[in-house]
Amino acid sequence: MRRKRRTTPRTTRVLGALLLVAVGSLTVGAAPAPAGATPLDQVIPAPTKVTPGGSPYRITTKTRIGVDGSREVRRVGEYLAGVLRPSTGYRLPVRAGHGGDIQLRLAKGPFGAEGYRLDSGAKGVTITAARPAGLFHGVQTLRQLLPAKVEKDTVQSGPWLVAGGAVTDSPRYGWRGAMLDVSRHFFTVDQVKRYIDQLALYKVNKLHLHLSDDQGWRLAIDSWPRLTTHGGSTQVGGGPGGFYTKDDYREIVRYATSRYLEVVPEIDMPGHTNAALASYADLNCDGVAPPLYTGTDVGFSSLCVGKDRTYDFVDDVIRELAALTPGRYLHIGGDEAHSTSHEDYVTFMDRVQPIVAKYGKTVMGWHQLTGATPAKGAVAQYWGLDDTSAEEKAQVAKAAQNGTGVVLSPADRVYLDMKYTADTPLGQDWAGLVEVRRSYDWDPGDYLPGVPGSAVRGVEAPLWTETIVTSADLEYMAFPRLAGVAELGWSSAATHDWERYKVRLAAQAERWEALGISYYQSPQVPW
């Protein structure tokens, strides 16, 4: 896969009036919302069940946010207040107890780990969940039910209406991810935080960070300091690169956790390792360190599988990374190891997977891992195409039938770095052109033949950054496609209907404008 250098980025602003209609796809006979209130079924991802009716609730200067006594629920309440205060100008005090006009409460019920119920009426709004994550997701629904200008950071005029009725909601899949490649081009802690906030709005719950590649090593490892001081000193095109200190990484994890996203770190190996090989000569079979690499070719690098020193290195890296990462998974890459023989690849994975388990983590890898023997409980991330060979798909299916989980990231569907059209100024086209409808119009549940539905953990939208330099670049390629991938992961298959979805998607444009998100104005969407 030969990648192209970037061209001038473009920020698209919405033109024309927004089309605001009730979708009616979730509840038969759904009534329209009162004037000035967003219909309950207008949100993305589509909720499981919507029952509209009754008077709307109006947020006013007297509105209070009531929370249960737990620290986590209070944090969700403070988060909600932090979203609403700048634009409404209201105090919105957060108080323990059940006296709030907007009430966040934990209760037993059929919510699961992330589900919630939102009830709205003239007297107030109550969000109920079994766990704080469900309350947080319910808050995201509440945000979308308010006018888009609620996202602005200056005081706006009301009214601030929430349509009357009830939303009962829970996710289809437990894995709803987005991957950010910080190796090809480096993104700062603040830039990653900005992306986390955007992911949270659509109930994404996994942030996969691609921390190492040929062009740069981005996380400080105390026992191998040259990985960052030398290997992290550049990026595609020869820029200055950069890296995260351990405290930087901890801050990303902390911030993601506060938005109920689990960080899944990736150290790609045995290929995609030139930055490491350039940093330490003894990781090379010939003992000679190659120069740093700033191009975009792939498949030319490999750790020396036959050296014990290689596994000392891997052990140290995984040990230090696992200690920093509270999440369950550690991604070991495994793709495009073209300069590693199949025999060596299998040998490498057989030695590395037990190291991951040794430090208390579960193995995740790109789907080429299924060409070896995936560890018990491992998760394979499929990034092939619709027309990937039947043999390769069958290999993944066989592993899935034997207990390996599968996360779906088909490159010609959800790789966010693929160009929308031939004229897209950013991105690549090796997997084809991926317009908004194509990224949405497929079903993860039956995408790979032979993969049991029970093996599908969910979906993830990767964003590789060979051509992505700024946050505006990132947003332009992620939006609007990211919202659709989030819906595929959250909403039941019965709600997936392009004609209805594109209307709900169009209604998101004003919100992105208010948030300052650069996005692609697809002609497929009735903006």
Side-chain angles (χ1 to χ4, degrees), residues 302-320:
S302 180
L303 293 170
C304 189
V305 173
K307 275 189 173 182
D308 286 340
R309 184 63 169 158
T310 293
Y311 304 99
D312 294 338
F313 165 76
V314 172
D315 191 287
D316 285 339
V317 169
I318 289 177
R319 171 176 52 80
E320 294 193 33

Side-chain angles (χ1 to χ4, degrees), residues 63-137:
T63 296
R64 297 161 298 164
I65 298 174
V67 297
D68 285 356
S70 76
R71 184 178 300 176
E72 275 202 86
V73 176
R74 173 169 282 277
R75 279 199 292 261
V76 177
E78 293 289 359
Y79 168 87
L80 173 60
V83 171
L84 302 181
R85 284 169 180 155
S87 55
T88 64
Y90 303 156
R91 288 183 60 244
L92 300 172
V94 179
R95 297 178 178 174
H98 298 284
D101 307 284
I102 299 175
Q103 187 71 43
L104 307 181
R105 58 187 294 267
L106 295 179
K108 294 181 179 180
F111 303 110
E114 296 185 278
Y116 66 92
R117 178 181 171 94
L118 184 151
D119 293 280
S120 176
K123 293 184 178 180
V125 175
T126 299
I127 301 174
T128 308
R131 298 185 185 178
L135 293 178
F136 186 81
H137 296 321

